[in-house]
Amino acid sequence: MADPTALALVCTLQKSPAESSSQLIARHALDALADSDVKGEILRVVDYDVHPGVSADEGDGDQWPEIRKRILAADIVLVATPTWVGHMSSVAQRVLERLDAELSETDDAGRPSMVGKVGIAAVVGNEDGAHKIVADLFQALNDIGFSVPAQGCTYWNGEAMGSTDYRDLDSVPDQVATTTKAMARNAAHLARLLNTEGYPAYE
């Protein structure tokens, strides 16, 4: 069986080629996944014209269908988001809203299209909020059909009222690096299990 693949949905508010702490932590996560023989790619969502809505295709120039194809092709999906006023970015929220359509997209066994995929999260910011953001992401991803591995998130928060971004650090803090590796290791393991023996058919 082929090794799992991963897609990192970077939900920064800044279009490429601007530097992004969310993209950097996503890259670190993909590097850790590579240690478990998982190939991955990064997609910066704001570089696409993703229309508001809750369908698979909102038409009239909506580029979500292009992103959706890459999500469907991946075994592991990472949502990487900055923290804004204690919440995930509006881009991450829009990703969840568009993924909601997948509940009605089912296979021949009646399973929603995201069932059997692994969902993980990475959060960066200069204010507290990472735990709440991860909780919100995991609830939504699990609702949509993703499976969440043990310790399936990584995050970094700077000091309160600080001005240092994740991308400004001279090196990744040991605890963050260890957490990212655990997330990647467990996500790769779960993806292989699901690829070997998926969920039963829905009756």
Side-chain angles (χ1 to χ4, degrees):
M1 180 174 290
D3 288 321
T5 60
L7 176 66
L9 298 174
V10 174
C11 297
T12 176
L13 302 182
Q14 300 177 328
K15 291 186 176 182
S16 299
E19 293 184 356
S20 164
S21 290
S22 297
Q23 181 148 332
L24 181 58
I25 199 170
R27 170 49 57 197
H28 292 160
L30 291 183
D31 289 345
L33 281 164
D35 291 338
S36 294
D37 297 320
V38 176
K39 293 182 179 179
E41 61 174 339
I42 287 177
L43 184 153
R44 194 181 291 206
V45 178
V46 78
D47 289 341
Y48 295 77
D49 186 5
V50 178
H51 292 188
V54 291
S55 72
D57 187 347
E58 290 292 327
D60 192 26
D62 180 27
Q63 292 183 304
W64 176 255
E66 298 176 38
I67 298 175
R68 180 177 181 267
K69 287 179 183 177
R70 291 164 73 173
I71 294 172
L72 288 170
D75 300 297
I76 300 168
V77 176
L78 167 69
V79 178
T81 178
T83 303
W84 287 111
V85 291
H87 300 275
M88 71 181 79
S89 72
S90 58
V91 177
Q93 181 63 39
R94 180 157 296 183
V95 165
L96 296 179
E97 289 165 354
R98 297 304 302 270
L99 283 171
D100 184 74
E102 302 308 319
L103 287 168
S104 58
E105 300 289 334
T106 58
D107 62 16
D108 293 339
R111 294 170 295 214
S113 59
M114 297 297 139
V115 170
K117 296 186 183 299
V118 174
I120 52 179
V123 180
V124 291
N126 286 317
E127 56 189 287
D128 194 18
H131 282 173
K132 181 185 183 303
I133 291 170
V134 169
D136 289 347
L137 281 171
F138 280 175
Q139 187 280 327
L141 291 173
N142 186 254
D143 235 19
I144 293 162
F146 290 89
S147 296
V148 176
Q151 299 180 318
C153 72
T154 189
Y155 64 91
W156 176 85
N157 282 121
E159 63 182 357
M161 308 298 179
S163 59
T164 300
D165 288 332
Y166 184 75
R167 66 177 185 266
D168 298 327
L169 300 177
D170 293 331
S171 61
V172 178
D174 289 343
Q175 191 60 41
V176 176
T178 299
T179 300
T180 300
K181 289 178 181 179
M183 175 190 72
R185 184 172 56 248
N186 293 345
H189 177 69
L190 180 57
R192 287 188 169 90
L193 290 176
L194 290 172
N195 283 344
T196 300
E197 185 172 352
Y199 288 103
Y202 286 24
E203 296 181 359

